[in-house]
Amino acid sequence: MERDDIDLLLSEAPFVEYKGRSYSRLQIVSAAYRLSQQLPDTSNIINLHDLRHEFMVVLMATAFKQVSAILPPSIAKNALLTLVEGAKNLISSSQPLYSDLSDYLVPAINFSSLLNDSIIDRSLLEEKVRELPNGVIKIYTSGTTGHPKQVIKSWYSMSKMASKAIDRFHLTSDKIIVGTIPSQHMFGLETTVFWPLFSTARLWSEKPLFAGDMMDVFENSHGEILLVSTPLHLKNWVESQGGSWPSRKVSVLSATAPMDKELAEKATMQWQVRLFEVLGSTETASFASREIMSSELWEPYQNTNIQLSGSKYEVSFTDLGEFYPLQDEIQMEVGGRFKLLGRQSDMIKVAGKRASLCELNRVLLSIDGVRDGVFLNLGKERLSAVVESDLPIKDIKQKLNESMDSVFLPRPIYFIDNLPRNELGKLQMNKLLEEIDGRHND
């Protein structure tokens, strides 16, 4: 780890804001070292903490103890039991969990004591911080297209990727990062842990999930706000708030799903903010961005290259020596920027005609009276669709028929109360297929 990074992580400047208190990076590192001395011997620790500063202390403590951190794809009982049964894994959480998991819990952690005790000797902390790049994090894909897949990342690669985003978004001490997403998913892990840790930006510890929570951020923080969120959360705020935000410099950063242009226009006009999107994956973290209202083109981060490898594109990072195949169809433009054409798995062919499932979903969701919905390609002659709506089937079909070729009209259409989505708004495909199994609504 470079000298500048060590000095930053041992800085006494205000860092995390929580309930009117500020904790410095030095306090976080010191608390993490203390906790690492208390943690039981185990192979992996599953980190379920919601508050950013608690999550960060546990994540760093596992690295100090040379134990892998597991960030699970779900907190459902069966998902957690799968991770702990038959393995030497323990769970760390500040929230009550299912009684079936009681034998697998790390003893309750007194974060207030850890953070407020006297600082550990600086030379000892320096030595421990130098070892951080070797820390291992096991994180999972969302499982949108099937079963979640484990991806192993190191503190080294995460900090290197963070430096690219820090440069792109100018994350300095006059900015405070506020996230609506959980730290257990890659988008949350990079933006609410590694970006603030390795920049001079400050961090809001809680997740403002409702418009009223965001007003609390305005009232109890200072400086420019970088709000890290998702199209689902932003859509809910736009529809529920119905008014403008206080006069404050705010930038909004969105990912996990394509941002609808109509939603982007509403958010920027209603809140008077700049709205950015980042592009990435669990395997890569984010590697490109764009300002939605200014350009449809994506610009890769520094030292990031998009190149053709055979018939497909891949992204590479010159300072990491890593290459990843892209799951998206892209069109390269002048200066290394590119246009996103859609996921390779998103393109479908019906009766000799091609279409994008993403575009079909956009049409479905644009129908007034459809609260949520998705097209499904189940390998049959016709596409299917699942919707949350009180509209009659004939009205939905009529609206779809006005905007797409008839060969793509779904048959059947299933009606359910709620599409199963995770905290990021990503669809859980296995749960959805279980929900509609054996049902026929058309």
Side-chain angles (χ1 to χ4, degrees):
M1 184 167 288
E2 297 178 4
R3 181 74 247 175
D4 288 348
D5 289 331
I6 294 173
D7 290 341
L8 178 62
L9 290 174
L10 299 182
S11 165
E12 297 182 55
F15 174 45
V16 181
E17 306 288 335
Y18 177 62
K19 300 292 186 186
R21 287 214 52 172
S22 288
Y23 297 109
S24 67
R25 289 173 181 79
L26 180 59
Q27 285 176 286
I28 296 290
V29 174
S30 189
Y33 175 77
R34 279 197 180 86
L35 180 58
S36 70
Q37 305 303 297
Q38 302 171 13
L39 290 174
D41 292 333
T42 185
S43 298
N44 305 279
I45 289 181
I46 300 169
N47 189 341
L48 298 185
H49 293 275
D50 280 331
L51 293 172
R52 310 291 183 193
H53 67 287
E54 293 184 0
F55 177 90
M56 203 175 285
V57 167
V58 174
L59 189 74
M60 193 176 289
T62 58
F64 285 160
K65 193 175 176 67
Q66 299 181 356
V67 169
S68 297
I70 292 181
L71 308 184
S74 168
I75 59 171
K77 181 174 70 173
N78 289 341
L80 293 176
L81 282 171
T82 299
L83 290 173
V84 295
E85 287 182 331
K88 199 178 179 184
N89 299 337
L90 296 176
I91 300 171
S92 184
S93 174
S94 294
Q95 304 298 322
L97 291 177
Y98 315 97
S99 58
D100 311 53
L101 296 165
S102 58
D103 292 339
Y104 304 100
L105 296 180
V106 168
I109 301 170
N110 187 336
F111 287 97
S112 178
S113 175
L114 288 172
L115 288 160
N116 291 308
D117 282 352
S118 58
I119 300 299
I120 300 293
D121 178 74
R122 189 181 181 93
S123 60
L124 175 59
L125 293 182
E126 253 195 56
E127 181 182 333
K128 299 303 293 184
V129 165
R130 289 183 186 278
E131 299 171 3
L132 269 181
N134 299 321
V136 174
I137 301 170
K138 298 175 180 178
I139 192 167
Y140 288 79
T141 60
S142 63
T144 301
T145 57
H147 293 288
K149 181 182 72 173
Q150 186 186 88
V151 175
I152 298 178
K153 306 299 287 186
S154 68
W155 273 71
Y156 175 78
S157 64
M158 290 299 299
S159 63
K160 282 292 185 183
M161 290 304 297
S163 68
K164 303 175 191 297
I166 290 165
D167 179 66
R168 172 62 51 86
F169 295 106
H170 310 291
L171 299 181
T172 54
S173 58
D174 64 335
K175 290 184 173 68
I176 183 165
I177 297 174
V178 180
T180 69
I181 68 271
S183 300
Q184 286 79 9
H185 296 86
M186 176 55 85
F187 184 43
L189 179 67
E190 61 171 327
T191 56
T192 67
V193 177
F194 284 90
W195 289 15
L197 260 181
F198 288 90
S199 68
T200 57
R202 291 167 294 117
L203 177 66
W204 187 262
S205 186
E206 297 174 285
K207 289 186 296 184
L209 293 180
F210 302 100
D213 299 331
M214 194 61 201
M215 299 308 289
D216 184 53
V217 177
F218 285 118
E219 293 172 8
N220 295 285
S221 67
H222 66 276
E224 181 180 345
I225 293 172
L226 176 63
L227 175 63
V228 181
S229 193
T230 71
L232 178 67
H233 294 163
L234 297 173
K235 181 174 183 286
N236 290 340
W237 284 5
V238 165
E239 293 176 350
S240 66
Q241 189 188 17
S244 61
W245 281 350
S247 180
R248 182 83 171 268
K249 192 171 184 182
V250 179
S251 296
V252 178
L253 190 68
S254 176
T256 73
M259 172 65 71
D260 181 75
K261 194 65 177 288
E262 183 179 351
L263 173 60
E265 289 173 349
K266 285 181 179 178
T268 52
M269 290 181 64
Q270 186 168 305
W271 299 331
Q272 296 298 299
V273 299
R274 295 181 69 185
L275 186 54
F276 298 87
E277 276 187 298
V278 292
L279 180 66
S281 67
T282 306
E283 292 83 358
T284 62
S286 64
F287 59 83
S289 69
R290 66 175 180 176
E291 186 168 0
I292 302 170
M293 301 306 295
S294 300
S295 175
E296 65 176 359
L297 297 181
W298 295 87
E299 183 177 353
Y301 293 164
Q302 189 175 17
N303 294 321
T304 300
N305 304 298
I306 311 291
Q307 62 269 323
L308 197 59
S309 177
S311 61
K312 296 183 179 180
Y313 282 92
E314 67 180 13
V315 59
S316 65
F317 310 109
T318 54
D319 48 348
L320 285 172
E322 297 177 353
F323 297 79
Y324 298 93
L326 290 177
Q327 303 304 312
D328 300 288
E329 296 283 355
I330 66 172
Q331 177 180 306
M332 296 302 300
E333 302 287 347
V334 177
R337 297 193 298 169
F338 61 94
K339 184 178 181 180
L340 207 58
L341 303 179
R343 288 223 144 196
Q344 294 161 1
S345 58
D346 187 56
M347 301 305 295
I348 49 119
K349 194 172 185 179
V350 178
K353 298 183 178 181
R354 291 171 60 84
S356 159
L357 283 174
C358 184
E359 176 59 22
L360 297 179
N361 290 337
R362 187 197 66 76
V363 173
L364 177 62
L365 292 171
S366 70
I367 298 174
D368 190 21
V370 172
R371 295 183 295 276
D372 199 359
V374 64
F375 272 78
L376 298 177
N377 180 17
L378 301 178
K380 300 179 180 179
E381 186 177 339
R382 299 293 296 263
L383 298 175
S384 305
V386 184
V387 297
E388 287 179 30
S389 179
D390 298 321
L391 295 174
I393 284 179
K394 64 179 180 63
D395 289 0
I396 294 176
K397 284 189 171 182
Q398 180 180 336
K399 290 293 184 182
L400 291 175
N401 198 35
E402 293 172 2
S403 303
M404 65 180 62
D405 193 295
S406 60
V407 301
F408 301 116
L409 292 178
R411 183 176 296 172
I413 295 177
Y414 301 95
F415 287 78
I416 63 176
D417 293 333
N418 296 103
L419 269 70
R421 295 185 181 276
N422 65 16
E423 290 180 273
L424 298 178
K426 289 198 170 188
L427 197 62
Q428 305 300 283
M429 188 58 67
N430 287 343
K431 291 183 179 179
L432 179 63
L433 295 178
E434 289 174 7
E435 180 81 14
I436 65 174
D437 185 39
R439 296 173 58 178
H440 191 79
N441 295 83
D442 186 1

